[in-house]
Amino acid sequence: EVQLVESGGGLVQPGRSLRLSCAASGFPFDQFTMYWVRQAPGKGLEWVSGINWSSGTVGYADSVKGRFLIFRDNARKSVYLQMNSLRVEDTALYYCTKGRTGWGGPDYWGQGALVTVSS
Amino acid sequence: QSALTQPPSASGSPGQSVTISCTGTSSDVGGYNYVSWYVQHPGKAPKLVIYEVTERPSGVPDRFSGSKSGNTASLTVSGLQAEDEADYYCSSYAGNNIFVFGSGTKVTVL
C-alpha cells in the first residue's frame, strides 16, 4: 500500500524558512517522480513543484520559483520542500504526491502538512 | 501558468449524468495527453479518478469517464450517486516540467 507521510508544517513568520519532509513507502520510490501540491484554506489545488526519480529534472510554479527548492533522498525514500522567504500567501495545506510514469502527474496523495505564514 | 478553467458548479439527480469541462490552451490540455481528474471530498485528500485523458485507475468505477477535444478535456460521471457529491479538479502537464490544475468544480447531487 502506497503511503506518503508529510511532516514539518507549522506557524512561521513572513520572510522566514521552513522545510517540509515526505516519507514514502509501499512502492519503489527511486523509480517515480514526486510532486508537491498545495491548497490554501477554502481554495483550489495549486501545483508547486516536481522532481524526477534521479533528481535530474525539477520544475517549479512561477509563484514559488527562486524561493522554494525541491530535493529527494532515494536512500531514505523521502522528498523535501525547502521553503524560503515565505509569504502570507504561501499559507496552505501542502500535499506530497507520487507521480505516475514519467511526468504523468500525481496519482497517490498524502494527507498534507499545514503551513501557516503569519506575523 | 494560468489555472485551467472549470465551471464553478455542476449538478444532477441520482442516476443522471454530469459532465465537467476543463479548458486550457494548446500549451497544456491541447498539447499533451497528460490530463488527469481528481475528486476531493470535504476534509480529505484528492483521489485520482482519470489519468492520461481517458484511463481509469484500478478500483475506480466505470461510471467515471474522460475525453478531450482540442484544448478542452471533460469528465463525465454517469449514474450519479450521493457519494459523488464532491469537488472535482482537472490537471494537465504544461511542458517544461510544469503542471497546472483547474479551478475546481463543486458537484451537487440533487
Side-chain angles (χ1 to χ4, degrees), chain B residues 19-22 35 37 50 53 65-69 72-76:
Chain B
T19 297
I20 305 166
S21 61
C22 170
V35 175
W37 289 92
I50 293 288
V53 181
S65 62
S67 63
K68 188 180 83 167
S69 177
T72 298
S74 298
L75 172 72
T76 297

Side-chain angles (χ1 to χ4, degrees), chain A residues 35 37 39 43-47 57-62 95 100-101 103-107 109-111, chain B residues 1 34 36 38 40 43-48 51-52 87 89 91 93 96-103:
Chain A
Y35 307 96
V37 177
Q39 187 169 34
K43 302 296 185 182
L45 301 173
E46 180 187 14
W47 181 83
T57 303
V58 297
Y60 298 95
D62 285 346
Y95 291 105
R100 284 193 44 79
T101 55
W103 281 79
D107 51 12
W109 298 61
Q111 290 305 303
Chain B
Q1 297 169 7
Y34 284 134
S36 300
Y38 303 88
Q40 185 179 36
K44 301 293 187 181
K47 174 189 171 185
L48 179 70
Y51 66 94
E52 292 175 13
D87 293 326
Y89 295 91
S91 77
Y93 182 62
N96 296 317
N97 309 318
I98 300 296
F99 272 87
V100 61
F101 277 91
S103 47

Side-chain angles (χ1 to χ4, degrees), chain A:
Chain A
E1 178 192 5
V2 173
Q3 289 198 342
L4 301 165
V5 180
E6 302 94 339
S7 60
L11 174 64
V12 61
Q13 293 179 325
R16 303 298 291 265
S17 299
L18 202 63
R19 178 181 293 182
L20 299 181
S21 301
C22 171
S25 61
F27 66 99
F29 180 77
D30 59 1
Q31 296 182 20
F32 290 91
T33 297
M34 299 295 292
Y35 307 96
W36 288 95
V37 177
R38 69 185 181 184
Q39 187 169 34
K43 302 296 185 182
L45 301 173
E46 180 187 14
W47 181 83
V48 173
S49 183
I51 184 168
N52 80 328
W53 66 274
S54 68
S55 304
T57 303
V58 297
Y60 298 95
D62 285 346
S63 57
V64 307
K65 194 176 296 183
R67 300 188 299 121
F68 288 13
L69 175 69
I70 189 172
F71 59 101
R72 65 191 293 164
D73 185 337
N74 286 345
R76 295 180 183 271
K77 298 183 181 180
S78 295
V79 61
Y80 307 91
L81 187 68
Q82 176 67 40
M83 302 182 293
N84 301 322
S85 302
L86 281 161
R87 304 168 179 168
V88 170
E89 54 265 35
D90 293 320
T91 294
L93 187 63
Y94 284 73
Y95 291 105
C96 170
T97 72
K98 168 189 168 291
R100 284 193 44 79
T101 55
W103 281 79
D107 51 12
Y108 290 92
W109 298 61
Q111 290 305 303
L114 182 62
V115 174
T116 303
V117 185
S118 174
S119 54

Side-chain angles (χ1 to χ4, degrees), chain B residues 47-50 56-65 76-78 81 83-84:
Chain B
K47 174 189 171 185
L48 179 70
V49 293
I50 293 288
R56 269 180 295 107
S58 173
V60 173
D62 60 6
R63 302 186 295 106
F64 292 85
S65 62
T76 297
V77 184
S78 306
Q81 300 179 4
E83 67 206 49
D84 298 328

